[in-house]
Amino acid sequence: DGGITQSPKYLFRKEGQNVTLSCEQNLNHDAMYWYRQDPGQGLRLIYYSQIVNDFQKGDIAEGYSVSREKKESFPLTVTSAQKNPTAFYLCASSIDGGSDTQYFGPGTRLTVL
Amino acid sequence: QKEVEQDPGPLSVPEGAIVSLNCTYSNSAFQYFMWYRQYSRKGPELLMYTYSSGNKEDGRFTAQVDKSSKYISLFIRDSQPSDSATYLCAMRASGGGADGLTFGKGTHLIIQP
């Protein structure tokens, strides 16, 4: 089955700890994205990558970091510098950066205690 | 004024009714319009994609774009309980890059059996 996987589904961390969220796709897509979704808020773009070894900040990149060492993988690290990290995190991919058709993963709900 | 406005609901209708979901926007440069459906605690899935003004139909779903009024709609005919979800509109300007997709906050739809 082709698609996007995110793990884990639920994640709990203590305040002050860094945590890394996994995103893998086997769709052979060049572009990948990380969004954050909060109750009553739309999707907000954290980081995106149009090609391996390259990525750009989105609207709310502060307190987050990413890497794109492989085409299939785009992990997101939520650092201790992120002031309100508790949220639902969604990873997406598209054929390329100019495509509007983004395919989303199932999401990871991060709760910081 | 936010770029994309969408009534969060909840919108509750009886099974079999015609549902109308709407978004308004302020950026006249938006040319590409999408509707995503998101079930609770899941990632969004693309339902409809339209370019510029006009209608597009796919089964029970019809997407309508009125660029002169900066207004887009999604109609669901013969609504089913399985249509209960949050519906997100998204849009992009022509020439916009990978960071150019703007989402509405979503409308929570409930179809009563």
Side-chain angles (χ1 to χ4, degrees), chain A residues 33 35 92-94 99-104, chain B residues 36 44 46 98 101 103:
Chain A
Y33 313 80
Y35 291 91
S93 71
S94 62
S99 172
D100 298 308
T101 307
Q102 294 186 16
Y103 298 86
F104 284 84
Chain B
Y36 284 84
L46 183 66
L101 207 58
F103 286 86

Side-chain angles (χ1 to χ4, degrees), chain A residues 9-10 33 35 37 40-43 45 48 50 88 90 97-98 100-102 104-107 109, chain B residues 32 34 36 38 41-46 49 86 88 92 96-101 103-106:
Chain A
K9 189 173 182 179
Y10 299 98
Y33 313 80
Y35 291 91
Q37 188 175 35
Q41 300 278 339
L43 297 179
L45 184 65
Y48 65 99
Q50 298 193 69
F88 189 49
L90 287 159
D100 298 308
T101 307
Q102 294 186 16
F104 284 84
R109 183 164 299 280
Chain B
Y32 303 89
M34 290 131 271
Y36 284 84
Q38 184 177 22
R41 299 189 182 92
K42 303 287 186 184
E45 56 180 319
L46 183 66
Y49 175 92
T86 296
L88 303 161
R92 182 173 74 83
D99 64 334
L101 207 58
F103 286 86
K105 292 183 178 181

Side-chain angles (χ1 to χ4, degrees), chain B residues 10-108:
Chain B
L11 174 62
S12 184
V13 300
E15 183 176 356
I18 296 175
V19 175
S20 173
L21 303 167
N22 312 294
C23 286
T24 58
Y25 62 94
S26 57
N27 187 348
S28 58
F30 286 144
Q31 296 267 21
Y32 303 89
F33 305 92
M34 290 131 271
W35 284 96
Y36 284 84
R37 178 176 62 196
Q38 184 177 22
Y39 291 113
S40 181
R41 299 189 182 92
K42 303 287 186 184
E45 56 180 319
L46 183 66
L47 268 182
M48 300 288 284
Y49 175 92
T50 52
Y51 168 69
S52 194
S53 286
N55 292 0
K56 184 175 182 179
E57 188 174 318
D58 184 1
R60 297 184 295 111
F61 298 90
T62 299
Q64 192 173 78
V65 175
D66 182 350
K67 289 190 66 183
S68 63
S69 302
K70 298 189 180 69
Y71 188 89
I72 68 170
S73 300
L74 178 71
F75 297 97
I76 307 174
R77 293 183 297 281
D78 187 25
S79 57
Q80 305 294 313
S82 59
D83 295 327
S84 298
T86 296
Y87 290 80
L88 303 161
C89 64
M91 47 197 78
R92 182 173 74 83
S94 178
D99 64 334
L101 207 58
T102 301
F103 286 86
K105 292 183 178 181
T107 297
H108 182 42

Side-chain angles (χ1 to χ4, degrees), chain A residues 14-63:
Chain A
K14 292 182 180 179
E15 195 171 337
Q17 288 183 333
N18 291 357
V19 60
T20 298
L21 282 58
S22 168
C23 177
E24 304 276 334
Q25 55 98 359
N26 60 6
L27 300 168
N28 201 32
H29 285 173
D30 283 326
M32 297 187 74
Y33 313 80
W34 274 105
Y35 291 91
R36 171 180 172 143
Q37 188 175 35
D38 296 280
Q41 300 278 339
L43 297 179
R44 293 185 289 170
L45 184 65
I46 304 172
Y47 268 98
Y48 65 99
S49 168
Q50 298 193 69
I51 199 166
V52 175
N53 293 322
D54 187 52
F55 48 83
Q56 284 80 40
K57 293 181 179 180
D59 301 320
I60 56 165
E62 186 175 350

